[in-house]
């Protein structure tokens, strides 16, 4: 099977199992996950599992990216902040929905940020903005964001991220330590109305 055939077979399974909306499905079909994982793991790119990407970090399993994309339910043109660029795959999926120029992503590790930038550029998402730094600070210069999501686990949503979220917007991410719960917060009158979406496992926020 070609990489594209493997990708479509994976997405077929995810759509059936997770009941994904069409927008999420189209984004997952479009982004070549094999281009984002290390060459040595390329043959595993279309298995539904996390993979190591260096610096002790992992790219999330495809179903987790799918579930988060569905929950955010973004529209084209909405401005999004991602915390934890990693290899850039999740940012590319988000870029498929909102447009690459509307995606801002912060990565702690220099080496990962640099590699993510070059992969994103190589596969057509060069307009995604990647900054190396501490995601807990958000990216004030580009705020407000319609949505913010974290791909690493925090004890709670860092205050600057909530401040940089537009009223009515959603922040989404894994909250907790050893046990984490995927949590959304809808900003309403300046504070967050929360809803939880089950137990998950992400690398910790630094
Ligand atoms: N979305 C990524 C998944 C990356 S795993 C992908 O598609 O590949 C989580 C990432 O969060 C790791 O790359 C890790 O280095 C990064 N991270 C951890 N703490 C961070 C922090 N304080 N600020 C920014 N990034 C952080």
């Amino acid at each position: 099977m070609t990489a594209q055939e493997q990708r479509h077979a994976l997405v077929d399974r995810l759509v059936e199992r997770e009941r994904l909306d069409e927008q999420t499905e189209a984004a997952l079909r479009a982004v070549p996950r094999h281009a984002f994982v290390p060459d040595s793991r390329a043959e595993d790119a279309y298995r539904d599992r996390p993979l190591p990407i260096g610096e002790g970090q992992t790219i999330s399993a495809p179903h987790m990216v799918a579930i988060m994309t569905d929950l955010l339910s973004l529209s084209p043109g909405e401005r999004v902040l991602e915390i934890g660029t990693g290899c850039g795959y999740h940012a590319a999926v988000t870029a498929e929905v909102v447009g690459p120029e509307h995606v801002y992503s912060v990565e702690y590790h220099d080496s990962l940020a640099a590699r993510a930038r070059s992969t994103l550029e190589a596969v057509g998402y060069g307009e995604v903005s990647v900054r190396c730094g501490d995601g807990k600070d958000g990216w004030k210069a580009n705020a407000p964001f319609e949505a913010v999501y974290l791909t690493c686990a925090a004890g709670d949503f860092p205050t600057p991220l909530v401040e940089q979220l537009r009223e009515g917007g959603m922040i989404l991410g894994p909250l907790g330590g050893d046990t984490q719960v995927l949590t959304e917060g809808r900003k309403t009158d300046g504070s967050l109305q929360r809803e939880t979406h089950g137990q998950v496992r992400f690398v910790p926020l630094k």
Side-chain angles (χ1 to χ4, degrees):
M1 273 210 275
T2 64
Q4 189 177 3
E5 287 166 348
Q6 290 180 44
R7 181 162 67 255
H8 287 315
L10 168 66
V11 178
D12 288 345
R13 292 195 296 276
L14 292 179
V15 167
E16 170 134 343
R17 205 178 74 204
E18 309 291 347
R19 312 223 157 276
L20 303 174
D21 67 33
E22 280 175 22
Q23 177 173 264
T24 303
E25 175 182 351
L28 293 171
R29 289 199 191 281
V31 181
R33 191 170 187 259
H34 64 278
F36 289 86
V37 304
D39 287 345
S40 60
R41 305 309 292 253
E43 75 273 19
D44 292 328
Y46 297 109
R47 294 175 62 196
D48 187 20
R49 50 162 295 186
L51 292 172
I53 53 171
E55 305 285 359
Q57 307 301 319
T58 51
I59 175 177
S60 308
H63 76 268
M64 192 45 64
V65 175
I67 288 169
M68 290 177 72
T69 305
D70 244 30
L71 285 171
L72 287 170
S73 191
L74 294 159
S75 302
E78 289 189 316
R79 187 181 284 228
V80 184
L81 176 66
E82 174 185 69
I83 307 305
T85 319
C87 67
Y89 171 73
H90 198 154
V93 172
T94 303
E96 274 294 324
V97 178
V98 297
E101 68 276 32
H102 303 296
V103 179
Y104 297 83
S105 186
V106 186
E107 169 55 45
Y108 188 84
H109 288 102
D110 238 331
S111 58
L112 293 179
R115 201 183 324 135
R117 267 193 216 102
S118 73
T119 310
L120 285 163
E121 174 85 45
V123 294
Y125 303 98
E127 286 179 88
V128 170
S129 302
V130 177
R131 174 172 86 78
C132 184
D134 188 347
K136 291 195 283 295
D137 300 332
W139 199 335
K140 200 165 180 215
N142 296 297
F145 300 95
E146 262 88 34
V148 178
Y149 65 91
L150 297 92
T151 71
C152 36
D156 198 357
F157 295 122
T159 304
L161 302 186
V162 179
E163 287 170 354
Q164 292 170 28
L165 181 65
R166 188 187 290 285
E167 176 70 17
M170 186 194 286
I171 184 166
L172 176 69
L175 295 187
D178 288 343
T179 307
Q180 305 161 8
V181 176
L182 183 61
T183 307
E184 69 165 71
R186 179 73 70 183
K187 190 168 176 181
T188 314
D189 299 327
S191 59
L192 294 179
Q193 291 205 324
R194 293 164 188 252
E195 208 174 302
T196 58
H197 299 283
Q199 208 167 310
V200 292
R201 195 175 182 88
F202 283 77
V203 297
L205 181 90
K206 295 194 186 293

